[in-house]
Amino acid sequence: MTIKIAPSILSADFANLQRDIERISTADLVHVDVMDGMFVPNISIGIPVVQSLHPTTTLPLDVHLMITQPIRYVEQFCDAGADIVSCHVEADTPPNIHKALELIHAKGKKAGVVLKPNTPAQAVLPFIKEVDMILVMTVEPGFGGQKFMADMMPKVRIIRGYIDEMNPACDLEVDGGIDPATAAVAIEAGANVLVAGSAVYKAADISECIAALRNA
Ligand code: DX5
Ligand code: ZN
């Protein structure tokens, strides 16, 4: 399986985002964490930042919406230049999450769903046939630099089974506490897209760290 690396700019220097995106040019995606201070107890960046970043990189922008009722904003994120927009299944009712995914696809972009650690694997089933990516959180969303939850691996395995059976083109992403050691564990469980914030941006050699994650 081809492994894709998505460094999270949550750990970048927000005063030097263009420079810090150039530093991850050997990666596959740029992971953008959007937080509203409601769905998660933190506030990060939003639509204008995505709009400014879009022309600075050829890497696809992988936008992780940690916001309540994402249906309100998904089209604006698409118009700002997001390539993949993912919504938490806990952030609204299933019909509204379906509608949000439809709005993203209608903009010609990829759509994903995200599960918090306490949300069971089965929560992806209503959406699995229509999504391009499923993201399993391996920390509680809200902050970078937390410890990888190895107890999420059974969930990753179950969802890998669902994907292989029902939507083999769907990517399976993990996010939180990923470094070259935990990356190997997540890949073994079935993940093929790895988000890493602090591991990448704290590395002495960023390209080397990205290569180490890819070959974990
Ligand atoms: C957490 C974010 C993550 C975060 C990961 O809510 O979704 O993308 O940046 O950071 P690390 O890799 O430091 O755990
Ligand atoms: Zn994220």
Side-chain angles (χ1 to χ4, degrees):
M1 198 160 35
T2 310
I3 304 300
K4 292 183 253 186
I5 308 302
S8 165
I9 56 166
L10 190 62
S11 295
D13 176 357
F14 283 178
N16 289 287
L17 278 178
Q18 182 166 8
R19 179 200 70 188
D20 279 3
I21 286 180
E22 282 162 9
R23 285 182 174 164
I24 57 162
S25 61
T26 58
D28 302 280
L29 303 160
V30 179
H31 186 82
V32 182
D33 287 306
V34 176
M35 304 179 185
D36 67 353
M38 291 290 290
F39 184 74
V40 289
N42 197 5
I43 298 176
S44 57
I45 52 178
I47 295 151
V49 176
V50 171
Q51 197 168 7
S52 295
L53 292 179
H54 179 239
T56 74
T57 180
T58 54
L59 296 178
L61 297 177
D62 170 29
V63 175
H64 173 193
L65 295 181
M66 286 164 271
I67 67 174
T68 300
Q69 296 180 322
I71 191 170
R72 298 174 296 151
Y73 290 106
V74 288
E75 289 177 296
Q76 288 183 63
F77 278 100
C78 292
D79 290 340
D83 295 281
I84 308 170
V85 179
S86 298
C87 303
H88 271 268
V89 299
E90 308 88 357
D92 207 339
T93 60
N96 280 349
I97 297 295
H98 276 295
K99 277 186 214 149
L101 299 173
E102 275 169 25
L103 291 174
I104 297 163
H105 280 146
K107 289 283 183 185
K109 306 303 178 93
K110 291 187 175 178
V113 286
V114 193
L115 303 186
K116 288 168 69 168
N118 288 332
T119 304
Q122 292 72 17
V124 302
L125 289 173
F127 310 104
I128 191 154
K129 293 210 169 122
E130 65 188 292
V131 288
D132 305 285
M133 183 152 81
I134 295 171
L135 168 50
V136 174
M137 291 307 300
T138 44
V139 297
E140 284 296 339
F143 300 91
Q146 303 180 76
K147 192 176 176 294
F148 176 74
M149 298 169 72
D151 55 339
M152 292 298 114
M153 294 308 100
K155 182 155 89 180
V156 171
R157 262 179 235 288
I158 293 171
I159 294 176
R160 168 50 64 194
Y162 293 158
I163 287 176
D164 288 350
E165 192 185 325
M166 292 178 250
N167 184 1
C170 182
D171 281 316
L172 180 49
E173 185 175 56
V174 284
D175 181 6
I178 300 290
D179 60 22
T182 57
V185 174
I187 291 168
E188 200 274 324
N192 72 305
V193 184
L194 310 175
V195 177
S198 41
V200 166
Y201 280 106
K202 283 198 180 133
D205 185 329
I206 287 182
S207 311
E208 213 169 80
C209 177
I210 290 170
L213 289 167
R214 205 187 288 291
N215 300 314

